[in-house]
Amino acid sequence: MTIMNIVHQLQGIGVSPGIAIGRACVIRQFEPGITGETLADEAAVEREIALFREAVGRSMEELILLMAGAETAVEEILGVQVEMLHDPMWEGEVLSKIGTDRKNAGDAVLEVTQDLVNTFGSMEDEYLRARAADIEDIRKRVMRYLRTGAAGTVEGWADHFVGVHEMVGRDEHDGVSDAAAFADQILVAMDLSPSDLIALDISRVIGFATRTGGKTSHASIVARLRGIAAVVGCGEGLDFIVDGDRLVLDGVTGILLVNPAPDVVEQYVEKRKEQLATTRFLQSLKGKEAITTDGIAIHLSANIGSIEDMEQALEYGAQGVGLLRTELLFMQSNSLPTEEEQFIFYKNILVRAAGRPVTIRTLDIGGDKALPYLPFPKEDNPFLGYRAIRISLDRKDLFLTQVKAILQASVFGECRILLPMIGSVQELRQAKALIAEAKEDLTRQQLAYDADIKTGIMIEIPSAAIMADQLAKEADFFSIGTNDLIQYTLAVDRMNEKIKALYDPFHPAVLRLIRNVIEQGHLNGLPVGMCGELAGDPQATLLLLGMGLQDFSMNAPFIPVVKNIILQSSMALARAVCAKEMDNII
Ligand code: PEP
Ligand code: MG
């Protein structure tokens, strides 16, 4: 039997590399539902409010205890949940549902958290979308206390395989796996929360597969952190797996095989050996510079949104940060981050970068990236609307505060400013005038900043790509944002699953625009980089090199992969590949 003939084969998303061969350990998670109960009188209201407060308090205690024993990244994730639990807005909404709408505490929590999950879950930004998992984690935790009166302790929890499921095992909705006795377990679950994963007995769990989830869901992040092979988003087929089924899971291709024939298992044993060798090899490239066989040095940097991402970037040997998405800082706060708060965040990144260049992009909010504390009117076409630099030029107060924070941080390292969604020379001029104003203000206050800081622009709107020759005369550098450039050039919503086949990074129109930007940038002596996802796509590396791109910024794990291609290729080869590809499309 070949791999193609496998009957029980599920296709998910590979989120943490590695091949796991083991036995299924199926976890059925606690899924509480709305009861629809109406509270009879004031006494019932009082009782439900007291229950809610107690459940929140105990959830908070539990989180704090869990944080104490967790790795830094997990601790941060749980810290976000503690903050969310403290949020007076969500508390207020729950209390109003109990007091005014007369719902019981469980129903109120379910309704309020569901709204939040929907809001975050539909956001464009993958990172922010993944925050929906935090809210779901909070919901489960609070609901556990409300509906089961669970009195479990964290110690008890961590003692068990996935203790949270043990505790709610008393509830009729839930059951815990009998497969805990097997060694080499592969967890099979609806989804896994960070808390679930902390409680894992790592010596026995070699992989997990979930029905839902995406690349930046927390289960995926923690899997990568702990080096556990993982496939998420396997869909309904996962429901047919039972405890003890023999599974083969490929965390790269996203394939999950259920009870495959022995010869297929054998093939995967071989593949696992090869993958291990590749991983070791890629790790060995960490300290190497990315130089082509004919001696051209290519700069490989990382896209980040947080200090944890910065750590990961260094792990993978990033030579700098090509894109710091500052909106993540704003999205994680409950109110507008002050100049001081922003300054500290940027400074910490620059200090950690230790002299490596860091490109800080000003706020790219709007579209579907909302800030709850800064509501804007609903728009029919948010991606074509009030977004990024358009907001910054309108809300000068926000922009000036951010630029002043960046400028003050700039003395702590090699810092550049990047402006998102520039569509015309006029917009660039207006933004530069505001940056000059911010500098004057700091000078007046006798605050230090890098007076020669470079200001570059994202090229992510077709008008900017077409006008690259003019923009190159006034910008200090270009960074090509292919994620948006593709969606705007091809009129294909980057979020719309239904038309994802039309979202083609190799479409001739996109490639012509990219080539034009690189050529015009270089003709004008400008450094040109790329920070859209295409920069980390190994299939595009030679083509982009051949176009003359020398600065690639990507999600950190792709750095060694792209580096490996560069180390084995000459510019002559890259130019030939590029000429052939461009010939084919013209
Ligand atoms: C891009 O559009 O390619 C880009 C890097 O920006 P973002 O993904 O944040 O829109
Ligand atoms: Mg963009």
Side-chain angles (χ1 to χ4, degrees):
M1 188 188 275
T2 67
I3 295 175
M4 298 307 291
N5 292 335
I6 295 298
V7 183
H8 300 289
Q9 174 171 328
L10 301 179
Q11 181 66 60
I13 307 165
V15 292
S16 181
I19 288 177
I21 301 171
R23 297 281 183 184
C25 173
V26 183
I27 295 162
R28 282 169 200 90
Q29 288 167 321
F30 174 55
E31 281 301 333
I34 301 237
T35 63
E37 180 196 5
T38 307
L39 301 178
D41 49 27
E42 267 315 304
V45 168
E46 293 297 317
R47 188 190 63 232
E48 291 298 310
I49 288 178
L51 273 175
F52 168 66
R53 290 202 194 286
E54 177 169 359
V56 169
R58 293 176 72 174
S59 302
M60 202 103 79
E61 280 169 22
E62 191 178 280
L63 277 169
I64 288 163
L65 271 170
L66 280 170
M67 281 166 74
E71 300 103 320
T72 320
V74 176
E75 192 187 337
E76 298 267 342
I77 291 170
L78 297 178
V80 170
Q81 294 186 14
V82 171
E83 263 180 47
M84 285 176 169
L85 273 174
H86 272 299
D87 180 13
M89 233 161 71
W90 100 275
E91 188 194 13
E93 279 180 40
V94 172
L95 292 181
S96 138
K97 285 210 186 271
I98 301 173
T100 315
D101 304 347
R102 304 258 158 175
K103 298 187 187 253
N104 67 38
D107 285 2
V109 167
L110 285 174
E111 284 183 15
V112 172
T113 47
Q114 193 52 53
D115 287 349
L116 287 170
V117 166
N118 293 344
T119 308
F120 277 88
S122 63
M123 284 180 175
E124 175 200 2
D125 190 287
E126 226 188 325
Y127 176 88
L128 297 172
R129 243 187 357 258
R131 298 289 69 74
D134 280 316
I135 299 162
E136 274 174 349
D137 207 14
I138 288 175
R139 174 174 63 199
K140 280 185 199 154
R141 201 178 296 283
V142 174
M143 287 305 293
R144 210 172 58 237
Y145 285 110
L146 285 175
R147 290 277 164 88
T148 70
T153 61
V154 172
E155 293 77 34
W157 189 9
D159 277 350
H160 290 286
F161 183 61
V162 180
V164 59
H165 306 103
E166 285 262 326
M167 283 203 293
V168 294
R170 288 179 232 133
D171 189 272
E172 59 182 1
H173 300 279
D174 195 62
V176 71
S177 173
D178 294 328
F182 295 119
D184 286 353
Q185 289 156 341
I186 297 178
L187 291 192
V188 175
M190 178 72 117
D191 194 7
L192 291 167
S193 69
S195 340
D196 296 338
L197 287 159
I198 293 163
L200 287 184
D201 178 350
I202 214 120
S203 61
R204 292 197 289 177
V205 174
I206 56 166
F208 70 76
T210 59
R211 202 178 194 264
T212 58
K215 275 208 157 94
T216 55
S217 66
H218 282 133
S220 311
I221 295 170
V222 178
R224 286 194 290 273
L225 255 166
R226 296 194 153 190
I228 303 172
V231 173
V232 303
C234 297
E236 289 166 10
L238 210 70
D239 299 348
F240 300 103
I241 297 176
V242 295
D243 276 345
D245 270 348
R246 192 148 179 74
L247 300 181
V248 171
L249 175 153
D250 186 337
V252 172
T253 61
I255 284 175
L256 178 68
L257 304 177
V258 187
N259 296 321
D263 60 330
V264 176
V265 175
E266 217 22 69
Q267 289 175 33
Y268 274 89
V269 169
E270 284 308 308
K271 201 171 163 194
R272 183 169 59 183
K273 277 189 204 147
E274 283 164 27
Q275 267 194 11
L276 276 174
T278 308
T279 308
R280 260 184 232 121
F281 168 70
L282 288 176
Q283 276 166 352
S284 76
L285 300 181
K286 181 178 165 182
K288 276 208 167 121
E289 269 191 72
I291 300 180
T292 60
T293 53
D294 42 1
I296 301 298
I298 306 298
H299 199 262
L300 300 183
S301 47
N303 295 347
I304 68 166
S306 63
I307 193 84
E308 293 77 47
D309 292 352
M310 182 72 223
E311 298 298 336
Q312 194 199 34
L314 296 175
E315 278 288 299
Y316 282 96
Q319 289 169 291
V321 173
L323 171 64
L324 167 58
R325 288 184 167 99
T326 59
E327 50 274 14
L328 301 188
L329 168 73
F330 284 70
M331 303 289 311
Q332 282 163 14
S333 308
N334 293 325
S335 54
L336 271 176
T338 61
E339 187 176 312
E340 176 70 9
E341 284 164 350
Q342 291 189 54
F343 161 71
I344 291 169
F345 175 66
Y346 306 141
K347 177 188 150 186
N348 285 344
I349 302 260
L350 279 156
V351 168
R352 195 66 190 91
R356 297 173 186 86
V358 174
T359 304
I360 304 182
R361 186 173 73 182
T362 61
L363 192 59
D364 183 359
I365 206 75
D368 66 341
K369 283 189 236 168
L371 292 180
Y373 49 83
L374 199 70
F376 297 127
K378 197 174 159 352
E379 297 181 72
D380 286 340
N381 291 300
F383 281 116
L384 304 180
Y386 195 56
R387 199 189 146 181
I389 197 72
R390 298 168 183 182
I391 297 182
S392 296
L393 295 180
D394 185 44
R395 289 289 308 266
K396 298 187 174 60
D397 53 328
L398 301 184
F399 188 64
L400 285 171
T401 303
Q402 180 169 39
V403 171
K404 280 193 273 182
I406 298 174
L407 285 170
Q408 289 171 83
S410 67
V411 294
F412 292 90
E414 184 66 38
C415 180
R416 310 194 299 178
I417 298 176
L418 178 59
L419 305 169
M421 296 275 294
I422 291 286
S424 68
V425 174
Q426 287 70 24
E427 279 176 342
L428 172 57
R429 285 185 189 154
Q430 286 174 47
K432 283 175 70 175
L434 288 171
I435 294 171
E437 195 179 317
K439 285 182 178 174
E440 279 165 26
D441 200 1
L442 293 181
T443 308
R444 257 193 312 275
Q445 294 178 63
Q446 299 189 324
L447 293 169
Y449 62 89
D450 173 9
D452 297 323
I453 194 163
K454 301 281 182 258
T455 302
I457 59 173
M458 293 281 296
I459 304 281
E460 52 185 344
I461 299 184
S463 60
I466 293 163
M467 297 300 290
D469 56 334
Q470 294 302 312
L471 287 162
K473 298 194 168 43
E474 309 204 18
D476 293 325
F477 64 93
F478 286 160
S479 185
I480 306 173
T482 50
N483 308 342
D484 277 317
L485 187 61
I486 297 165
Q487 89 162 337
Y488 294 132
T489 305
L490 305 180
V492 177
D493 181 346
R494 68 194 250 193
M495 300 291 293
N496 190 334
E497 279 288 305
K498 228 177 170 162
I499 48 169
K500 68 175 181 220
L502 294 176
Y503 188 89
D504 177 13
F506 296 94
H507 188 291
V510 173
L511 296 184
R512 282 191 193 187
L513 286 181
I514 293 174
R515 184 179 58 179
N516 184 55
V517 174
I518 297 171
E519 274 176 11
Q520 290 305 324
H522 288 169
L523 274 175
N524 288 280
L526 235 63
V528 181
M530 179 179 284
C531 63
E533 294 298 306
L534 193 63
D537 181 347
Q539 288 189 38
T541 307
L542 279 178
L543 173 63
L544 296 172
L545 270 182
M547 286 186 186
L549 192 76
Q550 296 191 349
D551 211 324
F552 294 64
S553 189
M554 64 199 79
N555 295 329
F558 290 99
I559 290 175
V561 181
V562 170
K563 189 188 283 183
N564 187 31
I565 296 173
I566 292 168
L567 286 168
Q568 294 177 46
S569 312
S570 65
M571 284 306 292
L573 172 69
R575 284 194 202 101
V577 167
C578 176
K580 189 156 177 269
E581 174 88 25
M582 297 308 276
D583 268 359
N584 279 344
I585 64 170
I586 289 168

